[in-house]
Amino acid sequence: MTSSEPTKEEILERLAALEEENEKLREENKRLRARLRWYEGPHSPPSKEQADEEESSSSGGDEDDEQPRTDGGTPGRKSGHDPEWRDAPDPDEEIEVTCDCCPECGERFDESAGVSPRLVEELPDPQPPEVTQYNRHYYECHSCGAETVASHPDCPDEGQFGVNVVAQAALSRYDHRLPYRKIGDRFEQLHGLELSGAAAWHATERAARAGRCGYEQIRRQIQQADVVHVDETGIKRDGEQAWIWTFTTENHTLYAVRESRGSDVPAEVLGEDFAGTVVCDGWTAYPAFSSNLQRCWAHILREAEDAAEKQAEGEPIYRALTQLYVALQTRLESDLTVRERAELQRVARRELESLIERSVPDGPVATLLGKIEGGLDHWLTFVGEPAVSPTNNAAENALREPVVLRKLIGTLRNDRGMFVHETLLSLLATCRQQGRNPYEEFKRIARNNEMISRAQAVPAVASSR
């Protein structure tokens, strides 16, 4: 053995070091895969599950090969974690349940040996409807001749049904997803209130007209936001193609149903002079509306992965994009100064430019590089602006409920249906974001009697293609 050859002890030490390094890399790989789990398909939103992959991953194999959850965790509680129970409510009534004799032999009991309490939560029997006649007095002014009709907070300005019926009808449709015929059945079964499907629709429409002022307040709040997530998906209007748009901030969500998918919709909703940042995908309407954008990294990474599967030249590009994104996320976890963020942004842009300069044959990879180049000014906004998210997951999540409803209802019938749809979905989503009780909120809206006329109950802009 020459002096340059390693000894057996040195080889064992190196082997142990390599095994330790390998274990660390496996753990890091597992963590990164968990963070990037949602990049499964080139055009799938983060919430979309790929059933085939989930099924194959759960059917067997090494633990490290299991597909992690989209949020980076694993299903269920951690091993050894104490269970959580509902808080026991205070009883409204106590009933002593006793027994006189032994059910086995008939021997009479002298006294109880103890008490085994059990709390039971029960709903009261549904109550029949209360019918109230409001004798609204009207007056004529002797000075100006004006006629005034007295009002009552529980007496609606129009319609036969009160605020509870209106609120429950709207929630049954947009929270519980019931058809109008089923809403009528539910009222009759529970309360003995005869309500046709058409009457349930009119009650829901009243809720939308009463809530339109709240809808406009949400729009004004979103117009003043620094960051708005925007997305759109298809919906039918009388069997024809239309679009439902979502505009989402931390505390507000607004939906707009339009026959247009162009830049006129964000211009109408956000205003021509909107100064905030729009987080979006690569649809052409967004750069046509604003230059202050953040393009969604979830989309581009999914498309890069898809291109890598179809063309060998895409693998190093996908790997470089993934490494850049993870590195940026890791670096931004530190409390960086404005100068440090600007420098990080410059370095990252050079990395993207080096990818664009690669020579690749025509195909999916060339298309991918074209998309990267087309959005070069918009991929790294989140690096310089801490409040901006690098993905558009918030807007895509906001579209989940409309997509489910789309599958159930098929098509909106007319402009009034579009109006009701966008109004009540917006009010309900915003209530949830702000932790408010939707039923109480819908009752408050109906009781306020700030109802717009049916002539005004149409989308704000004329249809345009």
Side-chain angles (χ1 to χ4, degrees):
M1 180 182 293
T2 63
S3 59
S4 61
E5 293 179 344
T7 64
K8 182 179 179 180
E9 290 74 18
E10 291 175 334
I11 293 175
L12 291 175
E13 288 180 3
R14 292 182 185 179
L15 181 60
L18 287 172
E19 288 178 347
E20 182 179 356
E21 183 180 4
N22 183 50
E23 183 62 28
K24 290 180 179 178
L25 289 173
R26 286 168 65 87
E27 289 298 322
E28 182 180 10
N29 180 53
K30 189 175 180 180
R31 177 176 61 83
L32 294 179
R33 285 176 61 194
R35 292 182 66 179
L36 297 174
R37 173 66 179 89
W38 54 85
Y39 311 121
E40 294 181 323
H43 304 292
S44 301
S47 60
K48 184 175 178 62
E49 295 289 338
Q50 296 203 353
D52 293 341
E53 293 186 12
E54 293 292 339
E55 185 174 331
S56 63
S57 68
S58 61
S59 61
D62 187 83
E63 182 179 352
D64 287 343
D65 292 331
E66 291 184 359
Q67 295 289 343
R69 270 189 344 196
T70 56
D71 60 2
T74 55
R77 291 184 176 275
K78 293 182 179 179
S79 178
H81 194 289
D82 293 334
E84 285 190 9
W85 307 99
R86 292 181 59 204
D87 292 334
D90 294 328
D92 299 307
E93 179 185 9
E94 291 190 20
I95 297 177
E96 302 299 329
V97 183
T98 62
C99 183
D100 294 330
C101 62
C102 176
E104 298 294 332
C105 66
E107 177 72 20
R108 293 188 63 82
F109 295 131
D110 293 331
E111 61 181 14
S112 170
V115 176
S116 176
R118 171 174 292 181
L119 284 173
V120 176
E121 297 179 69
E122 179 61 286
L123 294 174
D125 289 333
Q127 300 298 307
E130 297 177 353
V131 181
T132 304
Q133 178 173 308
Y134 293 90
N135 296 317
R136 302 184 302 165
H137 293 259
Y138 64 91
Y139 307 87
E140 293 182 358
C141 179
H142 297 298
S143 297
C144 65
E147 186 174 285
T148 300
V149 179
S151 62
H152 189 281
D154 293 328
C155 179
D157 287 343
E158 65 176 70
Q160 180 180 344
F161 301 111
V163 296
N164 289 346
V165 176
V166 170
Q168 287 196 38
L171 286 177
S172 295
R173 178 63 169 175
Y174 282 96
D175 200 12
H176 308 142
R177 306 168 184 163
L178 292 179
Y180 288 115
R181 177 180 58 82
K182 290 289 186 180
I183 295 173
D185 291 345
R186 178 176 177 273
F187 275 103
E188 185 168 3
Q189 291 168 5
L190 294 180
H191 306 288
L193 176 65
E194 293 185 9
L195 195 72
S196 66
W201 149 253
H202 285 298
T204 304
E205 189 230 20
R206 278 178 53 193
R209 289 193 286 127
R212 194 63 180 190
C213 293
Y215 178 92
E216 293 300 330
Q217 289 176 4
I218 293 172
R219 186 163 73 96
R220 287 191 289 271
Q221 291 291 330
I222 289 177
Q223 287 177 335
Q224 298 169 12
D226 294 328
V227 182
V228 179
H229 293 253
V230 186
D231 202 1
E232 79 294 325
T233 191
I235 194 171
K236 296 295 183 180
R237 189 262 190 205
D238 195 23
E240 298 295 329
Q241 184 64 61
W243 304 91
I244 182 165
W245 294 70
T246 182
F247 301 82
T248 303
T249 66
E250 184 178 357
N251 295 312
H252 300 86
T253 293
L254 185 128
Y255 296 97
V257 183
R258 300 290 183 269
E259 293 183 15
S260 170
R261 200 189 178 193
S263 60
D264 56 322
V265 179
E268 172 237 329
V269 173
L270 297 177
E272 296 280 0
D273 56 349
F274 177 70
T277 299
V278 173
V279 184
C280 59
D281 57 24
W283 179 237
T284 55
Y286 302 116
F289 164 68
S290 172
S291 61
N292 193 14
L293 306 176
Q294 169 60 58
R295 290 279 296 274
C296 179
W297 273 81
H299 281 78
I300 198 64
L301 286 173
R302 288 197 298 267
E303 293 184 31
E305 183 178 21
D306 184 64
E309 292 176 355
K310 295 177 179 177
Q311 198 172 350
E313 291 84 357
E315 177 59 34
I317 296 174
Y318 169 60
R319 187 167 57 251
L321 276 176
T322 302
Q323 291 173 349
L324 174 60
Y325 177 70
V326 174
L328 288 173
Q329 290 285 73
T330 303
R331 187 76 177 91
L332 290 173
E333 290 176 359
S334 306
D335 188 16
L336 302 181
T337 64
V338 174
R339 177 176 296 181
E340 288 172 332
R341 282 180 172 271
E343 178 59 27
L344 184 61
Q345 201 171 33
R346 284 192 292 270
V347 172
R349 185 183 176 98
R350 287 198 295 268
E351 290 286 336
L352 292 178
E353 289 172 343
S354 68
L355 289 179
I356 295 169
E357 293 170 357
R358 298 192 181 201
S359 177
V360 296
D362 291 339
V365 177
T367 302
L368 171 69
L369 294 181
K371 290 184 178 181
I372 297 174
E373 183 176 12
L376 193 58
D377 293 333
H378 310 306
W379 294 117
L380 302 170
T381 307
F382 77 101
V383 179
E385 299 181 25
V388 175
S389 169
T391 71
N392 200 24
N393 292 351
E396 291 184 340
N397 289 340
L399 284 177
R400 288 178 179 176
E401 188 65 23
V403 167
V404 174
L405 280 170
R406 179 182 66 191
K407 295 178 180 179
L408 295 176
I409 66 178
T411 183
L412 301 173
R413 298 293 181 90
N414 47 39
D415 286 350
R416 287 171 65 191
M418 295 165 66
F419 173 89
V420 171
H421 202 70
E422 68 182 17
T423 303
L424 295 182
L425 278 175
S426 299
L427 296 174
L428 189 57
T430 300
C431 278
R432 289 187 180 125
Q433 282 178 279
Q434 298 179 1
R436 289 182 285 149
N437 184 311
Y439 180 51
E440 295 298 328
E441 186 65 15
F442 276 34
K443 285 199 301 181
R444 182 192 64 79
I445 289 170
R447 185 174 285 112
N448 282 348
N449 269 331
E450 297 178 353
M451 192 176 301
I452 65 173
S453 68
R454 282 196 171 93
Q456 296 174 291
V458 293
V461 294
S463 300
S464 61
R465 297 285 182 182

